[in-house]
Amino acid sequence: CVAAFRARIKTNMLYKNITTEQKVALEIEFRNVMERLVNEIKHLCIPTAVWRSTGEFVYVNREFTQLTGWTLNQIVNGEAALYDLISDEDIANYLEKYSFVNTDPSVGGYALQCTLRTPQDTIIHGAFWITIKRNLFSIPYMIVGNYLPNLWK
């Protein structure tokens, strides 16, 4: 997908001038932010997932697992990435939008209409509100998605 390629190139260009020590510091920052964020997300009544810019999930709340049928362990241990839960067409739309907001620090988030897939291949229609968290260098490093299912479809 051209959008995925474009997003990866832009991210690589942003990381180009960062030293190894700075990358380690950014990973420590990521983990600290995640710790605080998990405590907040646990109390949300909205299905919420957190993933890295690579699509690797780092956390989902109970409401997300109840909605999708995926367990926290399946998702966080790498059995399911963002690209496994969302249809191919919706992933292309996500990457297309992400490739444009990737380098624009003024954009904090956007809506994405999409369908989720359960482990049994059931489709759940709805939309993600995607919030992009940026590090000290204004590089997106964490994406928080609040999923609002469309219960009338």
Side-chain angles (χ1 to χ4, degrees), residues 133-145:
K133 303 281 188 186
R134 297 176 187 275
N135 61 26
L136 300 170
F137 300 99
S138 293
I139 300 171
Y141 72 114
M142 179 185 299
I143 294 99
V144 179

Side-chain angles (χ1 to χ4, degrees), residues 10-22:
K10 287 182 178 181
T11 302
N12 288 343
M13 287 171 44
L14 293 172
Y15 274 108
K16 184 178 172 184
N17 297 324
I18 298 176
T19 66
T20 302
E21 293 81 15
Q22 290 170 325

Side-chain angles (χ1 to χ4, degrees), residues 22-95:
Q22 290 170 325
K23 288 178 184 174
V24 169
L26 291 175
E27 183 61 24
I28 291 169
E29 175 195 359
F30 178 88
R31 290 171 190 251
N32 290 338
V33 169
M34 261 316 294
E35 234 176 82
R36 290 190 306 272
L37 196 59
V38 164
N39 289 328
E40 294 173 16
I41 292 173
K42 280 182 186 177
H43 303 293
L44 287 178
C45 297
I46 299 170
T48 303
V50 181
W51 61 88
R52 293 179 182 267
S53 57
T54 60
E56 169 195 2
F57 283 107
V58 289
Y59 182 75
V60 295
N61 67 358
R62 182 175 39 116
E63 287 74 10
F64 191 87
T65 60
Q66 288 174 343
L67 176 70
T68 63
W70 294 92
T71 67
L72 177 63
N73 286 337
Q74 284 176 307
I75 291 176
V76 175
N77 292 333
E79 292 179 40
L82 179 67
Y83 311 109
D84 299 320
L85 270 67
I86 299 178
S87 72
D88 292 342
E89 182 181 324
D90 293 333
I91 282 295
N93 291 337
Y94 164 76
L95 290 171

Side-chain angles (χ1 to χ4, degrees), residues 111-140:
L112 176 71
Q113 188 171 350
C114 65
T115 55
L116 291 180
R117 275 186 240 144
T118 68
Q120 299 79 24
D121 280 334
T122 305
I123 300 296
I124 303 166
H125 297 278
F128 263 118
W129 175 257
I130 295 172
T131 303
I132 299 168
K133 303 281 188 186
R134 297 176 187 275
N135 61 26
L136 300 170
F137 300 99
S138 293
I139 300 171

